[in-house]
Amino acid sequence: MDASVNFQLNGNMLIVPCPWEDDKQVTNGERVRYRGGIEVDADGRTRVKRYKVGSKGPLHETLYETAHGAVKMTRPLYGSSRGKRQRRKDHEFVYVTFKFPKKYGLALTKALYEEEADEIMSYFKTRKEETLWK
């Protein structure tokens, strides 16, 4: 894709597609944010390198979701023991989180919490693994 790159005095860069590239879509219609480092040489040659975000994968695996809650589990850790890779199950944790907007009010929030907590507990009952509560 052809574009013009404008270097601003405050250190920002503005990359604008050329007019003949208007018919092409770069994203799925939404703004996308990337984390990365930018290297600019004296002649203007620019490299953008992304950070290694999540190089080990996501921290949590989503097991079950409700309208305002989620059940997540930490991913199993792998370690080496005398050169062999082994799965360490003793470091897996299950997290249940709820996020209710403040505009719902206390009565509605409590009612929704009870419904979704029952839904999540019925999910736990369907799992074949034994859940230890601490």
Side-chain angles (χ1 to χ4, degrees):
M1 175 177 274
D2 293 331
S4 70
V5 179
N6 300 321
F7 293 93
Q8 300 172 349
L9 292 177
N10 62 0
N12 291 348
M13 289 175 29
L14 180 63
I15 302 172
V16 181
C18 292
W20 56 85
E21 300 285 356
D22 285 342
D23 59 339
K24 295 181 182 175
Q25 191 171 2
V26 179
T27 65
N28 61 354
E30 297 177 354
R31 176 178 283 184
V32 179
R33 294 183 185 269
Y34 295 102
R35 294 184 61 197
I38 297 176
E39 298 174 356
V40 180
D41 293 337
D43 61 353
R45 187 173 301 159
T46 305
R47 283 179 287 292
V48 180
K49 296 181 179 180
R50 67 181 293 273
Y51 289 138
K52 290 186 177 180
V53 176
S55 60
K56 296 179 184 175
L59 296 177
H60 297 95
E61 177 183 356
T62 303
L63 301 175
Y64 186 74
E65 286 185 336
T66 62
H68 301 98
V71 178
K72 296 182 180 182
M73 180 180 74
T74 57
R75 293 190 155 253
L77 300 175
Y78 293 94
S80 61
S81 173
R82 299 181 194 177
K84 295 182 179 179
R85 293 179 61 84
Q86 64 183 11
R87 186 175 186 174
R88 295 171 51 197
K89 289 201 118 189
D90 57 335
H91 291 292
E92 292 180 357
F93 295 98
V94 176
Y95 297 97
V96 179
T97 57
F98 292 97
K99 292 183 182 179
F100 294 102
K102 290 182 180 179
K103 65 181 179 180
Y104 281 1
L106 184 60
L108 180 60
T109 302
K110 283 184 177 180
L112 289 173
Y113 172 76
E114 288 177 7
E115 290 176 12
E116 293 186 18
D118 290 340
E119 190 177 337
I120 288 174
M121 289 308 292
S122 64
Y123 165 75
F124 279 131
K125 291 176 184 175
T126 62
R127 291 181 54 95
K128 294 181 181 178
E129 298 177 11
E130 182 179 331
T131 305
L132 299 175
W133 301 97
K134 291 185 178 183

